[in-house]
Each structure stands twice: as structure tokens, then as C-alpha cells.
Amino acid sequence: MQIPFSAQYTLDEISEALGCDEAKFKKEKTGSLQRSNGIYELERWNGVLHFNRKTPFSTKETEFIKKILASYNSLSKQLSTRGVAHQYMQTAITSSVLDISIARYISSSPDSFLYIHKLIQHLKRLSLKQYEGSQIRTGFLITETKHQKQKEFDIDSVDYEIVPTDGNIKLDRKTIKDTTFLRIIDGINSFYLCDPKLDISAYCNILSSEYDSFEKLSGKCIENILRSDTGAQFYAGVSNSAEFEIITHDNIRILHRKGRWYFIDCNLVNGIIASKHRETEPWRIFYAMSKIKKGTVALITDKTQNSLEKLVKRHVSDDSGVRKNIDACIKDADLGRLCETGELMRILTTDGMSIFDKHFDSLIDYSAIVNTALCDSDTGGGGRESAAIAGSLFGTTVKVSEDGPITIFKDKKIIYDVG
């Protein structure tokens, strides 16, 4: 049995969204379904679908897979047509199945699905739009509460105000072309409050907060609102890097980047990078770097600096003596403090590898030039990837590319790659 082109396309989109190897369709079931050690199988189309990667799938990821396949099944009921009509239907499925699946995934009820799907289309368009040379930025907190003008959020360390509009604003094609509507909100320090039917009656200004740059870029304020307000369903916004991002209350990021969808389970990423992390969340650091398109490479290890002599050859700007004099200010300092002061952001955007302890509490080393001879000579990629592969012999390495993708290595192999 050969599955339709649209079915294979859907499997490829799932693989891309979750950072899997190419998904496979097995014509016959042999034994029980495998659902461990990075393999997830389920029965579909009189056969078995096989998803595979080096990192086990989280519950949220398998729910996402099922939601996409359910959407495909609903759409594919018309595939019994023949000829040109059949081709049209397959094309329609490939162009819409992910959008429909994501709308279903984040909608609180079937009644709101159509409106949420419209919101997705509006924000995809806005992610391609600029105003006077700058990327349009905006954001919407979707909440069930009808009385948004009197809304209050129970969030610590944040001073904010709710600004009611004189009348409801309907989010439609005409509205998203309005300059005032687009410029009054920036999607970071301000966002619209919108009900599931896309009626806007207020917006929120964040007046002050104690969040550091990583927390702001990764949307921690929005996370806290979603967790504290039972009526808030999700947040959707466009960033200054021309990306459309959805934030859910269960620490999921759904990212539309360069025409593709990516599903990121932040708790899963934390466990992959540093399962014993404490206060500072690893995913937040590298996701923020991905959002601002700043490349970096880091090693998380249980080794001491002395035991990394085979890896670290020298450091950037070793000769001037400056580094020697500021080492004590950086090394072994509390990572939370380095985030607050902005030092960690500046370190990560400097050449060389940053090396963290296994608890992701402090920096062991920074601006390290590593011995890429430890990397296989026939391995592709540039200097940052070679450094990540070499470093993965000593722990877990994370590479953030300048165009956004986050890749995690262990023992010279890619174990997670998304975005």
C-alpha cells in the first residue's frame, strides 16, 4: 500500500516540527508498537507510522502528532475523488493541514476554532509585513473573560495597566492594515486582550518588571499570566525577527519561522540540556538567543576546568591580560546574577564556547577556543558546529545558529534539532 502524497507531506511536516528523522510508513505491523527510546509508533492507514529521533518524545509532543493526524483524516475524506479534483484536494490538504491542526490544538472549544484559525492567518501575514523599514510587532492574549476592561492579573514583580478601548475592535483584514492598530502595541511590553471570537476591548501595558533580558525575550511575563489567570487560553504574537509565536499555559512554544511550523516542549528541552538544572532554565537562555538570531555554542558538563584541557586550546583575547583580571568576576558567579546584569548575554554573543556546570548554576569557562581536531574531519558544518561536536565528548553541547535553529549534541551525535 502506498500512502497519498498529502499524507507523506504531513508526515514530513511533523518530522520537521519535532526535529525527527524522516517519518516512515510501514505496510505491516510486526509485533507490538514501539514507544520508547526515541521511537513513537501508532497505527494509521492500515499500517504503522514510525517516528524516530535520539531523544524520547514527550506526552505533549505525542498529543500534537495525534492532533495533526486527526486533522488530516478529517480533510482526507474527500480524497476518494478522481482526476483533477483529487489533485486539487491533495494540494489543499498540504497547504492547510498544519494551520488547521494548530488551531485545533490551541482552541478551547470547537466554537472558537474558526476564529483561532483566522487569527493564525492574520499573524502569518503580519510576520511578513514591515512599517518604515522595521518589522511589525504585535501580540494578543486570548482570554475567555468578557469583561477585559476590569481584568486583573495575579503576577509578581510586574507593574502593569489595562487600557480599555472606547468600543470593541474586531480583528479582521481591515484592522490589521490599520497603522495605529499596528503601532500602539509592540508584543513585548504591550499586547491586546482579545476574546476567542477576536473581539478586542482593551490592551495591557507592562510598566515595569524585574525580568532579565532572557526572560523578556522568552515571554516569561506572558507565561506567568497564563498560569495565574484561569481564563487566559494562550498568547500569539509577532516578534521583531519576523516570527509568529504561540505560547501556551503548559510551557509549549509553537513557532512559525521561515514558512515552517515548529513545536517546542520547553520542559523537554530543559531535561535534555541539563536535567539537574536549578533556578536558571537552560531552554530560556538558548531560545532567547534563537529569537534574536545570535549564534552561540555552549557546553554543559560535570567536568572541572582542569579536566577540560584536551578540549580548550586557548581563549579569545588571551594576550591582552584583560581576561585574567576579570575572570574572578565571571567564573563561578551565580548565573542568575549574570542574566540580570546582561553579562551572560554579552558573553554568549562573543566568539568562543561558553561552558556551564551540570546544574546550570554558573560558568566554568567562557570565550573558549576548542580543539576541533576532536571532531571527525569529514563532519560537515562550520566552526561553531565543529566546536559543538568536539565539546559533546565532555558533556552536552548546544549550538544556536544565526538563522535560529537550536541543535543539541551528545557523544558527537545530534540528539535534538528544532527551529
Side-chain angles (χ1 to χ4, degrees):
M1 175 186 174
Q2 185 174 0
I3 60 175
F5 159 75
S6 56
Q8 186 58 57
Y9 177 89
T10 301
L11 296 182
D12 293 342
E13 289 293 289
I14 294 173
S15 299
E16 182 78 16
L18 297 177
C20 309
D21 296 335
E22 183 179 353
K24 297 177 181 178
F25 172 73
K26 298 180 178 180
K27 297 180 181 179
E28 296 180 2
K29 179 182 176 182
T30 56
S32 59
L33 296 174
Q34 297 184 60
R35 292 186 174 176
S36 61
N37 300 321
I39 296 175
Y40 181 71
E41 293 184 336
L42 67 168
E43 294 185 72
R44 282 295 186 281
W45 309 317
N46 298 318
V48 174
L49 300 182
H50 178 91
F51 298 93
N52 180 41
R53 68 180 186 195
K54 297 293 190 298
T55 299
F57 294 90
S58 70
T59 301
K60 294 298 179 183
E61 289 177 320
T62 58
E63 287 176 5
F64 185 63
I65 291 173
K66 292 175 182 176
K67 187 70 73 175
I68 295 175
L69 293 175
S71 298
Y72 176 84
N73 288 341
S74 297
L75 293 168
S76 64
K77 290 178 180 178
Q78 302 300 317
L79 284 179
S80 57
T81 56
R82 293 289 181 265
V84 175
H86 177 82
Q87 295 175 24
Y88 286 165
M89 195 60 212
Q90 291 231 47
T91 303
I93 291 173
T94 58
S95 63
S96 61
V97 64
L98 262 292
D99 290 2
I100 290 171
S101 302
I102 289 165
R104 292 181 65 184
Y105 185 85
I106 61 178
S107 297
S108 60
S109 69
D111 293 339
S112 64
F113 161 76
L114 183 59
Y115 297 100
I116 301 307
H117 186 264
K118 287 180 180 178
L119 174 65
I120 289 173
Q121 304 314 307
H122 290 325
L123 291 178
K124 285 174 69 175
R125 293 187 190 99
L126 287 178
S127 70
L128 302 173
K129 189 172 182 178
Q130 292 190 335
Y131 178 79
E132 294 187 349
S134 298
Q135 171 63 43
I136 292 292
R137 299 182 302 175
T138 191
F140 302 87
L141 181 70
I142 310 302
T143 172
E144 293 176 348
T145 305
K146 300 292 184 181
H147 307 290
Q148 294 160 335
K149 298 177 183 180
Q150 292 80 38
K151 196 164 189 60
E152 291 186 2
F153 300 125
D154 182 19
I155 45 178
D156 296 329
S157 307
V158 175
D159 184 20
Y160 69 91
E161 64 174 3
I162 302 296
V163 182
T165 59
D166 285 341
N168 280 2
I169 300 171
K170 189 69 176 178
L171 184 60
D172 54 24
R173 291 178 68 92
K174 184 178 180 180
T175 301
I176 66 169
K177 294 179 181 179
D178 185 275
T179 302
T180 301
F181 178 79
L182 296 175
R183 299 298 288 176
I184 202 72
I185 293 299
D186 68 5
I188 298 174
N189 295 311
S190 54
F191 50 86
Y192 289 110
L193 301 179
C194 184
D195 71 17
K197 292 188 177 181
L198 307 188
D199 288 323
I200 300 167
S201 61
Y203 60 89
C204 177
N205 286 324
I206 304 299
L207 304 176
S208 64
S209 72
E210 297 179 5
Y211 297 127
D212 61 49
S213 55
F214 296 104
E215 291 171 334
K216 288 178 181 178
L217 286 165
S218 60
K220 186 167 184 177
C221 181
I222 296 296
E223 290 173 37
N224 289 340
I225 291 173
L226 288 168
R227 288 169 183 160
S228 67
D229 180 8
T230 55
Q233 297 177 3
F234 65 90
Y235 171 87
V238 177
S239 69
N240 58 4
S241 54
E243 296 172 347
F244 164 28
E245 176 188 39
I246 297 170
I247 303 176
T248 69
H249 63 85
D250 49 3
N251 224 14
I252 298 295
R253 294 294 188 279
I254 303 175
L255 188 66
H256 189 262
R257 172 181 281 169
K258 295 183 178 179
R260 306 297 293 268
W261 285 106
Y262 299 95
F263 185 94
I264 303 172
D265 185 334
C266 305
N267 294 330
L268 173 71
V269 176
N270 275 341
I272 299 170
I273 297 176
S275 59
K276 298 180 180 180
H277 77 277
R278 291 172 180 163
E279 283 193 30
T280 304
E281 296 179 284
W283 80 265
R284 196 178 297 284
I285 303 301
F286 300 110
Y287 185 76
M289 299 298 292
S290 172
K291 284 192 72 173
I292 61 174
K293 304 295 175 61
K294 295 291 186 181
T296 194
V297 62
L299 166 65
I300 297 85
T301 182
D302 58 2
K303 310 290 185 186
T304 63
Q305 186 172 5
N306 290 337
S307 61
L308 294 172
E309 290 179 350
K310 290 183 179 179
L311 175 66
V312 179
K313 295 171 61 178
R314 57 186 179 85
H315 298 86
V316 176
S317 304
D318 254 348
D319 300 334
S320 68
V322 174
R323 178 191 170 84
K324 183 178 180 181
N325 289 311
I326 66 169
D327 261 4
C329 306
I330 304 297
K331 288 184 180 179
D332 300 322
D334 177 71
L335 204 60
R337 186 191 72 78
L338 296 180
C339 291
E340 291 171 3
T341 61
E343 289 168 281
L344 184 60
M345 178 68 78
R346 295 190 287 275
I347 288 168
L348 291 174
T349 53
T350 303
D351 289 342
M353 175 181 281
S354 303
I355 304 177
F356 299 86
D357 74 312
K358 67 179 180 179
H359 297 297
F360 211 70
D361 274 342
S362 61
L363 271 172
I364 297 173
D365 206 351
Y366 62 99
S367 300
I369 305 301
V370 306
N371 179 15
T372 54
L374 297 171
C375 168
D376 293 335
S377 58
D378 59 350
T379 302
R384 194 174 284 129
E385 181 163 339
S386 297
I389 294 171
S392 69
L393 293 169
F394 299 84
T396 302
T397 50
V398 183
K399 182 196 76 166
V400 179
S401 301
E402 289 181 359
D403 54 350
I406 300 170
T407 309
I408 304 175
F409 298 82
K410 184 74 175 175
D411 295 324
K412 299 170 76 171
K413 295 179 180 178
I414 295 174
I415 60 172
Y416 185 79
D417 183 21
V418 74

